[in-house]
Amino acid sequence: MTETTKQAASEDAETRRTDPLVQVSLQQLRRRTSMKWRAHPEDVLPLWVAEMDVPLAPCVADALHRAIGLGDTGYAHGTAYAEALAAFAGERWQWDGLRVGNTAIVPDVMMGIVEVLRLITDPGDAVVVCSPVYPPFYAFVGHDARKVIEAPLGPDLRIDLGALEDAFVRARRHGRCPAFLLCNPHNPSGVVHTRQELEAIAALARRHGVRVVSDEIHAPLVLPGATFTPFLGVPGSENGFALMSASKAWNLAGLKAALAIAGEEAAADLRRMPEEVGHGPSHLGILAHTAALQEGGDWLDELLGGLDANRTLLGQLIKEPGIRYLPPQGTYLAWLDCTRLGLHDEHRADGPGVVADLAGPARMFLDEARVALSSGHVFGTGGAGCVRLNFATSPAILRQALDRMGRVVRELG
């Protein structure tokens, strides 16, 4: 780390004392045993998987300590999680349409998506996604014998309604019960869909007989300048579903629990979900997520301030002409278009493991800058030549990573 970088890091720490992103040192982070910190050697700065470099929110830690102290590690019971989410949605998003009776506990958001799709589609039916998009949308849907049809995003990384309607038409031809798997906010672009966009999506889906399932795991992570709108809060969404969780906003991926939420017309479908699905999440996971939603608002606000500052810092640090960056409106993920570097078909990985999923610029940044990013090609059409960067880390680590990446890009030119 250069003297300039060290001075900047010291100033960041001083001005952002209450920001969770500056409270864990690199040395402490390297003691973690999660995938983010163990998938690569110690000289690599990991800015890839969606895991934040933050301490546990005190309210969550307290809830877990209470449970452990009581030996309260049995089976989950009750609707406290759904009630907490309904209250959170009313306060944060002014949405009073979340009915506790129209929810179901599921192991996590992706497993919940699979279970909902099993309720409303048949094997062989088509599921539309807007690429580039979260890679498990392809893997989980494909492994469950459904066909993925892409509706590529527009050049501005927003949903192209014309492409979406074309995909809906193709999906109807392919099977009896098509669905649209919406990502709201969108991963990896960080786009937060407007109410007008969501209303147009709901109208299109109704017109073409397509059921919408909205992944809203990043909903609490909308940054200043944008407003989150729940899909089930717009007209025409009554036969849709949403999946929500405290996982991303409070860094609880290791404490599994999520909620499937049905619109009024979809409630009967949700009641057909097999009882055993609700046994997937752990009691401790439900306690942690409930505590986060009930008591973690102040902590979340501090985090959002830090993410906003990091979003600005990232824009200042990306100075290379070969990298295009559109600041995200939500999430802590940045989509970097590196196609001008001309590395689409170079630096191909081979062999098993995480590194085998790297190609193009992601492989180059890992090999030569020792910075781990997510490779764009696994996000589907439109992803080749791009990378996804997780900026939910300290400004010191972010500066160091971008310094390394910038040096490699300059050497390439």
Side-chain angles (χ1 to χ4, degrees):
M1 185 182 295
T2 66
E3 287 303 318
T4 302
T5 303
K6 288 180 181 178
Q7 181 179 352
S10 176
E11 292 171 355
D12 286 329
E14 177 61 25
T15 58
R16 295 169 59 174
R17 288 190 303 272
T18 58
D19 176 2
L21 294 168
V22 302
Q23 294 175 10
V24 188
S25 69
L26 181 58
Q27 291 72 25
Q28 291 171 313
L29 290 168
R30 292 209 182 279
R31 291 167 54 193
R32 293 185 172 182
T33 60
S34 63
M35 181 188 294
K36 180 178 183 180
W37 289 96
R38 292 303 172 99
H40 297 284
E42 282 206 359
D43 65 327
V44 172
L45 294 175
L47 303 183
W48 62 294
V49 72
E51 178 182 321
M52 297 191 290
D53 297 342
V54 294
L56 200 58
C59 64
V60 176
D62 289 346
L64 293 173
H65 287 146
R66 283 196 301 272
I68 297 300
L70 290 170
D72 186 11
T73 55
Y75 295 107
H77 174 74
T79 59
Y81 186 6
E83 292 166 13
L85 181 57
F88 181 88
E91 179 184 347
R92 291 273 168 162
W93 309 320
Q94 291 72 55
W95 180 43
D96 62 0
L98 198 163
R99 306 281 180 260
V100 171
N102 290 350
T103 67
I105 295 275
V106 292
D108 58 33
V109 164
M110 272 313 305
M111 290 306 301
I113 286 170
V114 170
E115 294 297 339
V116 167
L117 288 175
R118 287 175 178 170
L119 296 175
I120 61 174
T121 67
D122 295 323
D125 281 338
V127 177
V128 175
V129 303
C130 290
S131 62
V133 73
Y134 184 49
F137 278 19
Y138 295 92
F140 281 63
V141 170
H143 292 164
D144 207 43
R146 273 68 174 172
K147 176 182 174 60
V148 174
I149 291 179
E150 293 182 322
L153 299 174
D156 58 356
L157 299 180
R158 305 196 77 88
I159 289 179
D160 180 330
L161 293 175
L164 186 62
E165 182 164 27
D166 177 68
F168 284 177
V169 170
R170 287 184 284 131
R172 285 295 304 175
R173 292 173 183 159
H174 188 83
R176 187 178 64 87
C177 305
F180 172 40
L181 185 46
L182 172 67
C183 199
N184 178 37
H186 194 85
N187 173 5
S189 69
V191 162
V192 176
H193 310 303
T194 66
R195 175 172 293 276
Q196 292 73 25
E197 287 172 325
L198 294 174
E199 288 175 350
I201 289 167
L204 272 181
R206 284 280 186 175
R207 188 181 312 153
H208 293 280
V210 175
R211 302 289 292 277
V212 179
V213 180
S214 185
D215 174 351
E216 300 186 350
I217 195 170
H218 288 278
L221 293 168
V222 170
L223 303 177
T227 300
F228 174 72
T229 300
F231 176 72
L232 294 181
V234 303
S237 68
E238 294 81 6
N239 67 346
F241 291 86
L243 282 296
M244 290 187 177
S245 167
S247 174
K248 288 293 181 280
W250 284 272
N251 212 43
L252 304 177
L255 292 164
K256 296 285 191 180
L259 286 163
I261 308 159
E264 287 297 329
E265 295 175 18
D269 291 316
L270 190 61
R271 286 193 288 271
R272 294 189 289 107
M273 184 173 285
E275 179 188 354
E276 58 268 24
V277 174
H279 295 289
S282 73
H283 182 36
L284 290 179
I286 292 172
L287 291 175
H289 288 241
T290 302
L293 291 164
Q294 287 178 335
E295 307 170 53
D298 290 343
W299 187 91
L300 177 63
D301 288 336
E302 293 288 353
L303 172 69
L304 292 173
L307 292 176
D308 186 29
N310 275 7
R311 173 176 62 171
T312 299
L313 177 61
L314 186 60
Q316 295 168 350
L317 294 174
I318 297 177
K319 303 173 182 176
E320 309 307 321
I323 300 178
R324 179 172 174 258
Y325 162 63
L326 292 177
Q329 298 175 305
T331 80
Y332 47 76
L333 306 168
W335 187 242
L336 308 183
D337 184 342
C338 306
T339 52
R340 295 176 186 174
L341 300 180
L343 297 172
H344 300 49
D345 300 314
E346 301 173 15
H347 295 85
R348 292 289 181 183
D350 50 65
V354 173
V355 177
D357 289 330
L358 299 182
R363 181 70 202 206
M364 180 192 72
F365 287 130
L366 178 62
D367 287 348
E368 300 178 25
R370 308 308 285 159
V371 176
L373 307 172
S374 298
S375 186
H377 77 289
V378 300
F379 291 79
T381 298
C386 299
V387 295
R388 191 190 72 175
L389 182 149
N390 173 354
F391 59 89
T393 189
S394 71
I397 291 175
L398 195 58
R399 288 179 189 276
Q400 188 176 355
L402 269 292
D403 283 348
R404 293 184 184 186
M405 292 167 62
R407 173 183 53 78
V408 168
V409 172
R410 289 190 294 273
E411 289 175 356
L412 186 68

